[in-house]
Structure formats: structure tokens, C-alpha cells
Amino acid sequence: MRRIALAVIFVLGFVPQAWADFLDGVAAYNRGDYATAFREMKQLAEKGIAEAQLNLGFMYTNGHGVPSDYTVAVKWYRLAAEQGLAQAQNALGVMYDRGDGLPQDYAEATGWYRLAAEQGHAGAQTNLGLMYDIGRGVAQDYAEASKWYRIAAEQGISRAQNNLGNMYFDGRGAPQDHTIALDWYKLAAEQGYAKAETNLGFMYQYGISVSRDYEIAVSWYTLAANRGYAQAQYHLGFMYANGLGVAESSQAAVEWYALARKQGNSAAIEELK
């Protein structure tokens, strides 16, 4: 269960009772008492407390203590975002990015990500990097993408570490350097990030900046596949089909291919035709 964020809010001038109510709401949420958490947060949100508005938006997004309602979630995220709360700015960016609760608008998403990123919000920095990486809501700019990925990666964000590894692997916005890519993949994989685990498996399978080792490749693919990552499931199926780093097993290969196919993996679909 994801825990509700407990922001540093003394600087916002909380009166003691409001602070106590906020803590009660956070504690209730974290023990699964969503009804109490919702009641406490709503009272504070209606008084203009940005952190409570953020948390109320989160509860409407996830249907905790109230039926899920993206439109109402957007309302509360916006109120908090307009007060300058970086977490809410990023959350509102995500809603625009996905088109949840309002029309999809990549330019608006990018704008909110930028506001949060400039305040040091690592998730927003990663999101902003992705927008530049794929040219969504902003002109594609690999150098700018790499810049934002790096800022977030250095704060330990696994998705940013993996994405920065991709930039080095491909030579996009950074000099092509497979060794540096490997280092960033390792950092992300050590945090259990499935895409990075898969990328490490690929590098060991083909001996890119490491000695080729099919068994190590299988171990990384297995970790990611068991997390439900389709690309890893396909690769693991391939390893079983060809007896690379594992005993050859057509049955195991088909099982992994089938799991990947369920998620629309095109390579797995081809293998099972």
C-alpha cells in the first residue's frame, strides 16, 4: 500500500490544531482507515491547506475513502499546484499527460512538470526528461532530456537512472558509452526496476561492455519477468527456447512467451504464431 505523503509543512504556518489534524489524517490513511483520513484531509483542504489538497486529490485518484473520480482529483491537485506545491504540480502534470479527468494536453503536462522540476521534484524531473526525449508537448531535445534525467538519477530515481543509461547506450544527448550505460542500469536494477534488469540481461546476453554470460542474463531476465515486464518475459522465453544459460525447455519458453503475448509484446506474438 502506498503511503500518503507527509510534507514538511511547519513553514506554511500551520496552527497546532491543524497540524494535529493533518497528522491524524496521515496516520489514519497509513493504517488503512481511509474514511477517517478522508474526513480529516477534506476539512483541511477546504481551509486551503495545500498538502491536504494534494492528499485529497490522491485519494480521489485512487478511490481511497471515496469513489475514484479523476475530475475531482484534478480540482484538488490544481488548487494545491497553484499554491506552488511541487508534488501537486507533478500530479497535475500526470493527469494532463494521461488525459485523466480532463482533456489530454501534453503541452500543459510539460508546463506543470517544469514548474515542479525547477523546485527539485525528482519525479517531475524524470517526467520532464521523458517529454524532451520523445518530443511530447515540447520540441524533441535529447540533450535537454539527458540533463533532466541526470538531475533525477543523481537523486536515486531508478526510472531516471535507467533512462539515462538508455541515452548513453544509444548516444542520444550524451556520448555513446556502453560502460556508463551499464553503470546506470546497475544502479536502477539494484532498486528492482524491471526495465533496467532487462537491459542488464541484454548486455550480459550479448556481451556488451561485460563478458558474455548467459546465466547472469537469465538471472536478470527472471527478476524482471517475475515482476510482469513483458519484454523480459519474451527474452526469458527465448533463453529457454534456445537453451542459453538454462536447460532448454520448449514448455517453459511457450509459457513465458504466452505471458508476454498477453501484454501485446509483438516479438512474443510472432514466436507463438
Side-chain angles (χ1 to χ4, degrees):
M1 180 182 69
R2 181 176 175 181
R3 291 177 175 267
I4 218 166
L6 179 57
V8 179
I9 56 180
F10 290 110
V11 297
L12 298 183
F14 265 48
V15 297
Q17 186 56 53
W19 172 239
D21 291 344
F22 187 84
L23 288 178
D24 287 345
V26 170
Y29 183 92
N30 289 338
R31 67 173 178 265
D33 183 358
Y34 298 141
T36 298
F38 179 80
R39 184 173 62 252
E40 296 288 357
M41 290 298 165
K42 192 168 189 293
Q43 293 180 67
L44 295 171
E46 289 174 342
K47 293 176 181 177
I49 304 300
E51 289 76 10
Q53 292 168 339
L54 166 69
N55 289 341
L56 199 59
F58 180 82
M59 296 182 79
Y60 273 107
T61 298
N62 294 280
H64 291 167
V66 65
S68 179
D69 189 324
Y70 291 149
T71 301
V72 178
V74 165
K75 165 195 162 183
W76 288 111
Y77 287 147
R78 189 182 303 281
L79 287 170
E82 289 175 347
Q83 294 192 63
L85 189 65
Q87 291 165 291
Q89 291 168 340
N90 181 64
L92 185 56
V94 170
M95 302 302 271
Y96 272 112
D97 205 346
R98 296 176 178 172
D100 289 341
L102 76 183
Q104 191 171 53
D105 189 323
Y106 295 139
E108 278 287 329
T110 299
W112 287 109
Y113 289 152
R114 188 183 309 281
L115 287 172
E118 289 173 348
Q119 292 194 67
H121 190 282
Q125 292 164 345
T126 307
N127 290 336
L128 185 57
L130 181 61
M131 302 304 264
Y132 276 110
D133 193 355
I134 62 181
R136 194 161 70 189
V138 68
Q140 191 171 54
D141 187 328
Y142 293 142
E144 194 71 6
S146 291
K147 179 189 96 172
W148 286 109
Y149 286 153
R150 185 181 305 280
I151 292 170
E154 289 174 349
Q155 296 179 68
I157 303 300
S158 59
R159 183 163 62 103
Q161 292 169 338
N162 178 72
N163 291 357
L164 185 58
N166 289 341
M167 304 304 273
Y168 276 106
F169 189 93
D170 296 331
R172 292 180 292 117
Q176 187 173 52
D177 190 319
H178 291 157
T179 300
I180 295 177
L182 181 74
D183 290 340
W184 284 114
Y185 290 151
K186 283 181 177 177
L187 288 172
E190 287 166 0
Q191 297 189 64
Y193 191 69
K195 289 183 179 180
E197 292 169 338
T198 305
N199 288 334
L200 277 182
F202 184 85
M203 295 186 82
Y204 276 102
Q205 180 181 347
Y206 292 99
I208 302 171
S209 288
V210 291
S211 298
R212 178 175 291 183
D213 191 317
Y214 293 138
E215 290 184 2
I216 293 178
V218 166
S219 69
W220 284 115
Y221 286 149
T222 300
L223 286 171
N226 285 331
R227 298 185 203 283
Y229 185 49
Q231 189 65 23
Q233 292 168 342
Y234 162 73
H235 283 302
L236 190 55
F238 180 88
M239 302 301 272
Y240 273 106
N242 294 279
L244 301 176
V246 67
E248 185 175 342
S249 171
S250 58
Q251 179 180 346
V254 168
E255 288 172 356
W256 284 113
Y257 285 150
L259 288 172
R261 181 178 62 181
K262 284 182 181 179
Q263 298 186 64
N265 183 273
S266 58
I269 291 170
E270 285 296 317
E271 290 291 343
L272 292 175
K273 278 186 175 178

